[in-house]
Amino acid sequence: MVSRRDVLRIGTAALAGTMIESAVAGGSAHAAPAPLPAPLPAGPVTPVTPVPVEHGCYLTFCRIPTAGLATWKSIMDSFAEDGVDRVVLWLGGAFRSRKYPITWQYNRSHRNVREDFAGDLIEYAHTLGIRVLLGFTPYTYDGTNQYAFERPDLKAQQAGGQLARMQGIHSWGYNLDPTKADAKRFMLEYARELYFDFYPNADGLLIESSDIDICTGGDCGGPRHYYEIEFEFVRQLSDEVWAHNPDADIIVHPNYFVGGSNGAELPYDPRWTVIFSPWTVNLDFAKKVSRAYYFDLDVISQPPENVASSVRWVRDHGFASYFPSQEFFTFVAQHAEIGETNLIGQQLRPFGFDFLGLDENPYADPVVSVNRVALREYAKNPDLPDADFHARLGAAVFGDTATEQNVTDLLFLHDFCYGHDKSLFSLAVQADPRAMRDRLERGLLGFADLRAIQGKLDALPAVAERIRRSRNPAVRRLDRHTSLVARNWDRDSRDLLGAHLRG
């Protein structure tokens, strides 16, 4: 079984083969295409009207502490332009809980903790036709996992009897034991406070079940029983939310319904939307639910052709919506986030670009825009030809005077920054030698990888020169990307790469 941690650590592209095998219940997640049939005789062609694909997006709002209301409104404008209909804002750990202040102490510099503007942001999103859902995870993750610092007696137990270890992203803490009455009380009161007291104008919830270090020891009695207990919370909170707003969207994960080694077999309420991910795909169950969404990390970490493949896969398998992550991060890393020791003490920047501001809409950046345009255009027409995508990308980023060479150079830079082992937090290894050092120390790069990095670096100067000489100011904006890479690859970094290539 592919786990969430595997996907986050290795990346979705590297796991493609594993995903194919892990989606056993309903076939592959991204299966290889079947052989092409023999060509049909030439004849009149009937135009096919494209079937658009709905698409929302997922943001860990709590891990973007530096952005204020004006920036968030600008971000919502970008999503509206892209045709996004629903946005999840992960609010756990990012609102100033009165009942449980320990949940936001780690995040006390967060702009929403200080200014409480999320309600106004939700209202603004509504004017754009976007529904906003609040995200959190029962008994773990951001905000919730801080409660064990105040109540260490509520820490989860693992199967071997040891207590849960400290872990997380940004919010490092401890999973809770849901069999304990005080943990159950905390979880319900915290979720009620988030939705009913702070943001009752939200359009629903994403209740994201966890599969990392969940309570499996003691009275939890293994993963199946854990999800049975967690389901009690989900059932009760859902009923309370629907009593308040019968039209509320509540998105849950399939762990409560699919059985197996890491799930339960509990009754599904057709009012729930079920969201599947690369590590939880079950196509048989997806066919049975009233609304099925598909989540992955392709928009923030992969080339545009992967985004196109995901859109087509969602369409071909009857999912109601493609719901990818559009996360970026602006917190200061205090730990080795997903094993990246090079990040400790570093101020994270949006999508790994050091020149992007901490209170700036990063989706306007031309390289970031590549996958934005891919999501928008392939959602309109999943079978859009490559040439048409390139034309629309050029017009969106560079204007009506865009040339084929402009688009080629933009895609080169996107591949440079996203193309090899891009993590959630930093650029790909060929664009950020700090990431290269980290992967070398962890034994994650081979000789062929290093040769590919050198090849990209050899090709970069010609691209940079064309960008500098362009008469189009929108093209010249890419100069800050090429200049960033040039600054990153100082003499010591180039010497390190050369030594490994020789050695």
Side-chain angles (χ1 to χ4, degrees):
M1 172 67 71
V2 183
S3 74
R4 181 195 318 237
R5 178 171 284 134
D6 291 333
V7 174
L8 295 178
R9 184 182 70 249
I10 305 172
T12 52
L15 279 172
T18 311
M19 286 166 56
I20 290 172
E21 296 180 5
S22 69
V24 290
S28 67
H30 289 290
L36 291 175
L40 294 172
V45 176
T46 302
V48 176
T49 302
V51 178
V53 172
E54 288 186 18
H55 53 290
C57 68
Y58 168 103
L59 286 162
T60 42
F61 179 89
C62 51
R63 299 172 187 167
I64 309 171
T66 58
L69 178 58
T71 292
W72 277 106
K73 285 183 175 181
S74 176
I75 289 171
M76 287 295 176
D77 290 338
S78 294
F79 292 156
E81 181 182 349
D82 294 343
V84 167
D85 63 353
R86 285 168 173 80
V87 173
V88 165
L89 295 180
W90 186 286
L91 262 294
F95 72 102
R96 199 179 184 87
S97 169
R98 291 181 284 270
K99 292 182 179 180
Y100 299 103
I102 187 64
T103 58
W104 50 265
Q105 288 302 312
Y106 81 99
N107 212 8
R108 56 188 174 273
S109 64
H110 195 290
R111 294 285 296 275
N112 190 62
V113 168
R114 291 188 282 128
E115 301 166 22
D116 191 22
F117 57 75
D120 292 337
L121 178 61
I122 293 168
E123 288 302 317
Y124 182 74
H126 288 165
T127 69
L128 302 173
I130 295 175
R131 292 171 68 85
V132 177
L133 284 66
L134 312 179
F136 69 96
T137 289
Y139 304 111
T140 186
Y141 272 144
D142 303 64
T144 298
N145 65 9
Q146 300 296 296
Y147 192 49
F149 288 113
E150 194 170 281
R151 291 291 306 274
D153 57 307
L154 300 182
K155 286 182 184 178
Q157 288 190 55
Q158 303 301 290
Q162 70 272 26
L163 291 176
R165 64 194 177 95
M166 188 177 179
Q167 54 92 8
I169 298 176
H170 185 208
S171 175
W172 283 60
Y174 300 92
N175 290 7
L176 302 177
D177 181 344
T179 68
K180 296 183 177 180
D182 283 355
K184 291 182 177 181
R185 182 181 306 109
F186 157 75
M187 199 64 250
L188 270 172
E189 290 182 351
Y190 185 61
R192 286 167 177 161
E193 189 180 23
L194 169 64
Y195 182 77
F196 295 109
D197 296 348
F198 274 77
Y199 309 116
N201 60 338
D203 300 288
L205 301 172
L206 166 69
I207 307 175
E208 183 174 341
S209 60
S210 179
D211 58 6
I212 298 177
D213 293 347
I214 59 173
C215 182
T216 54
D219 291 338
C220 288
R224 177 183 294 269
H225 186 48
Y226 171 85
Y227 286 114
E228 291 172 345
I229 300 167
E230 190 175 277
F231 178 82
E232 295 173 2
F233 163 81
V234 173
R235 176 77 270 177
Q236 181 173 348
L237 182 63
S238 296
D239 288 340
E240 292 178 9
V241 169
W242 281 321
H244 167 77
N245 177 10
D247 295 325
D249 293 333
I250 300 181
I251 304 177
V252 299
H253 281 230
N255 306 67
Y256 311 119
F257 315 112
V258 296
S261 61
N262 198 26
E265 294 176 343
L266 296 161
Y268 165 70
D269 187 319
R271 292 176 291 178
W272 281 318
T273 296
V274 180
I275 190 165
F276 297 85
S277 58
W279 53 93
T280 62
V281 169
N282 183 311
L283 294 180
D284 280 346
F285 180 59
K287 294 174 184 176
K288 299 173 184 176
V289 305
S290 58
R291 284 182 65 83
Y293 289 174
Y294 181 70
F295 163 95
D296 65 22
L297 303 173
D298 285 359
V299 174
I300 60 170
S301 64
Q302 300 298 317
E305 52 265 32
N306 286 46
V307 177
S309 294
S310 287
V311 171
R312 287 192 288 268
W313 187 87
V314 164
R315 177 203 58 188
D316 293 345
H317 290 85
F319 281 70
S321 181
Y322 179 39
F323 216 88
S325 166
Q326 297 242 36
E327 297 168 89
F328 65 95
F329 307 95
T330 64
F331 62 90
V332 176
Q334 302 296 334
H335 305 272
E337 303 290 359
I338 314 181
E340 293 188 61
T341 56
N342 58 300
L343 298 176
I344 298 174
Q346 297 298 310
Q347 169 69 66
L348 302 182
R349 293 277 176 167
F351 299 108
F353 292 111
D354 288 351
F355 52 74
L356 290 178
L358 297 175
D359 189 14
E360 174 184 353
N361 176 1
Y363 300 102
D365 177 81
V367 171
V368 175
S369 291
V370 170
N371 280 353
R372 271 188 65 198
V373 176
L375 178 59
R376 178 171 74 228
E377 297 301 331
Y378 286 112
K380 293 176 184 175
N381 179 4
D383 297 312
L384 186 72
D386 287 347
D388 289 358
F389 168 64
H390 289 178
R392 296 181 189 190
L393 176 63
V397 176
F398 302 126
D400 295 338
T401 61
T403 67
E404 184 177 340
Q405 185 65 62
N406 297 153
V407 175
T408 299
D409 289 342
L410 174 62
L411 290 172
F412 173 86
L413 286 175
H414 188 273
D415 181 65
F416 207 102
C417 296
Y418 282 64
H420 190 293
D421 197 29
K422 185 185 188 310
S423 78
L424 291 179
F425 315 104
S426 56
L427 298 177
V429 291
Q430 62 260 23
D432 187 346
R434 296 170 299 184
M436 182 191 69
R437 288 189 179 91
D438 172 77
R439 307 308 187 271
L440 285 170
E441 290 172 2
R442 292 196 277 161
L444 299 177
L445 290 178
F447 187 75
D449 299 319
L450 297 175
R451 287 186 65 184
I453 292 171
Q454 184 63 62
K456 289 287 180 62
L457 288 171
D458 290 343
L460 184 64
V463 175
E465 180 64 17
R466 280 195 297 271
I467 288 168
R468 281 194 296 270
R469 295 177 63 182
S470 174
R471 295 181 179 181
N472 185 334
V475 173
R476 292 198 301 274
R477 282 189 68 202
L478 294 172
D479 180 63
R480 59 182 186 171
H481 300 80
T482 57
S483 296
L484 171 65
V485 173
R487 289 195 303 272
N488 285 347
W489 280 97
D490 57 20
R491 180 178 295 276
D492 288 345
S493 298
R494 288 182 178 272
D495 287 347
L496 177 65
L497 175 62
H500 277 276
L501 286 170
R502 291 190 300 272

